[in-house]
DNA sequence: CCATTAACTGACT
DNA sequence: AGTCAGTTAATGG
């Protein structure tokens, strides 16, 4: 069995879709190894949809001052690309570790999805969830002060990279201060100070790659 | 006052 | 050699 097919079967969005269909899809897909620091796509690349199989990819755009604003750290299983119909989102996708991506043209992607009602529904749910998450993120970035922006960010990252319960959220992957800062539009030094302050208050504890965030303590300190 | 940039430093890989 | 985090000094809104 080829690796693309194996991979499709283990993607949430394709789970339970008959193997025959997946075989057709995988035969249409291209694939590519992407080295660390290599761009997976640039704003000019409008015509492709990517599935991240392994490694990590950073989605970002450059603000008016040319500063990098990180929109997302994608983990294996992510679907990405400039899916909008006509205009570019001016986004870049850069591998932050060696990565492997599967590639479809947009036409192929929509062709495949539109032929299968079950798949259509899943893709729609996937993007509606993404939209809802994006709305929360925008709202937080636009109106919250820094501590609350950071709290929102950790919640979001926990859903994608860790786990969340009613007491704690945990992020399993390694996020540098630099990266976290670029997600909130603050400097690296400011992020360092914030994290250390929260650590002093025991709201954040770190062991290795895991960041734990104590929601109860956070609320105690910062809610009314 | 608060956050930013720039620069230097030590720890780590 | 390169990355990361902690610190300080100067600057600006």
């Amino acid at each position: 069995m080829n690796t693309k097919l194996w991979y499709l079967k283990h993607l949430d969005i394709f789970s339970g879709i008959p193997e025959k269909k997946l075989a057709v899809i995988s035969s249409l897909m291209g694939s590519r190894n992407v080295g660390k620091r290599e761009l997976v796509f640039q704003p000019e690349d409008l015509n492709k949809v990517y599935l991240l199989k392994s490694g990590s990819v950073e989605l970002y755009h450059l603000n008016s001052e040319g500063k990098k604003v990180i929109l997302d750290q994608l983990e294996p299983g992510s679907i990405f690309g400039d899916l909008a119909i006509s205009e570019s989102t001016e986004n870049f996708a850069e591998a932050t570790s060696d990565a492997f991506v599967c590639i479809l043209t947009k036409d192929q992607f929509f062709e495949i999805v539109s032929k299968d009602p079950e798949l259509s529904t899943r893709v729609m749910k996937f993007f509606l969830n993404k939209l809802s998450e994006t709305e929360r993120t925008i709202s937080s970035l636009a109106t919250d002060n820094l501590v609350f922006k950071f709290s929102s960010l950790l919640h979001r990252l926990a859903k994608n990279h860790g786990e969340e319960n009613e007491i704690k959220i945990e992020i399993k992957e390694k996020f540098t201060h630099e990266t976290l800062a670029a997600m909130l539009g603050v400097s690296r030094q400011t992020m360092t100070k914030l994290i250390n302050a929260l650590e002093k208050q025991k709201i954040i504890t770190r062991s290795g790659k895991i960041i734990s965030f104590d929601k109860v303590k956070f609320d105690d300190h910062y809610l009314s």
Side-chain angles (χ1 to χ4, degrees):
Chain A
M1 187 201 303
N2 77 49
T3 58
K4 283 183 291 185
L5 178 56
W6 180 89
Y7 167 57
L8 283 184
K9 281 171 71 174
H10 291 80
L11 259 186
D12 275 357
I13 208 156
F14 291 118
S15 74
I17 301 289
E19 177 137 1
K20 246 180 142 180
K21 206 164 258 176
L22 292 183
V24 176
I25 297 172
S26 86
S27 71
L28 292 170
M29 288 195 313
S31 61
R32 177 154 92 87
N33 272 303
V34 192
K36 187 175 180 177
R37 301 251 166 105
E38 243 186 281
L39 286 178
V40 183
F41 74 79
Q42 295 180 264
E44 305 87 75
D45 302 332
L46 284 169
N47 212 20
K48 297 261 173 37
V49 178
Y50 303 85
L51 304 175
L52 180 58
K53 178 184 175 190
S54 64
S56 58
V57 167
E58 183 172 277
L59 245 194
Y60 66 89
H61 77 264
L62 302 175
N63 73 4
S64 49
E65 282 135 27
K67 212 166 81 177
K68 193 192 264 194
V69 181
I70 298 175
L71 305 169
D72 222 343
Q73 291 278 359
L74 306 172
E75 55 178 6
S78 296
I79 300 177
F80 62 105
D82 251 325
L83 284 158
I85 308 301
S86 52
E87 339 170 15
S88 161
T89 55
E90 298 294 326
N91 287 348
F92 297 80
E94 181 183 321
T96 51
S97 69
D98 289 347
F100 186 76
V101 294
C102 299
I103 306 167
L104 279 170
T105 69
K106 249 194 261 181
D107 288 345
Q108 288 170 329
F109 177 75
F110 286 120
E111 170 88 7
I112 289 163
V113 168
S114 65
K115 273 186 183 158
D116 185 316
E118 172 64 24
L119 201 47
S120 300
T121 306
R122 289 193 203 182
V123 168
M124 183 149 73
K125 282 181 179 165
F126 175 86
F127 285 110
L128 288 172
N129 283 335
K130 191 133 270 195
L131 176 61
S132 149
E133 179 181 298
T134 303
E135 285 170 341
R136 268 196 303 276
T137 302
I138 291 172
S139 157
S140 173
L141 288 175
T143 66
D144 286 347
N145 65 36
L146 184 55
V147 220
F148 284 89
K149 281 181 193 175
F150 189 59
S151 160
S152 298
L153 177 63
L154 292 183
H155 280 74
R156 179 159 64 95
L157 294 180
K159 272 180 222 134
N160 300 332
H161 300 267
E163 43 196 61
E164 183 180 20
N165 62 35
E166 65 283 355
I167 303 152
K168 263 170 54 167
I169 63 182
E170 293 195 340
I171 290 148
K172 300 218 157 99
E173 263 136 82
K174 168 91 178 158
F175 285 90
T176 66
H177 292 188
E178 178 98 54
T179 299
L180 295 168
M183 293 197 226
L184 297 185
V186 298
S187 68
R188 201 256 312 156
Q189 292 91 326
T190 299
M191 181 54 65
T192 298
K193 281 180 76 180
L194 174 67
I195 287 174
N196 289 340
L198 291 172
E199 225 168 352
K200 204 166 282 177
Q201 294 168 312
K202 308 273 188 205
I203 291 169
I204 281 177
T205 50
R206 282 184 292 177
S207 58
K209 288 182 174 183
I210 299 177
I211 300 176
S212 297
F213 177 87
D214 189 321
K215 291 172 149 182
V216 177
K217 284 209 175 101
F218 177 80
D219 289 352
D220 281 352
H221 274 269
Y222 291 100
L223 285 181
S224 82

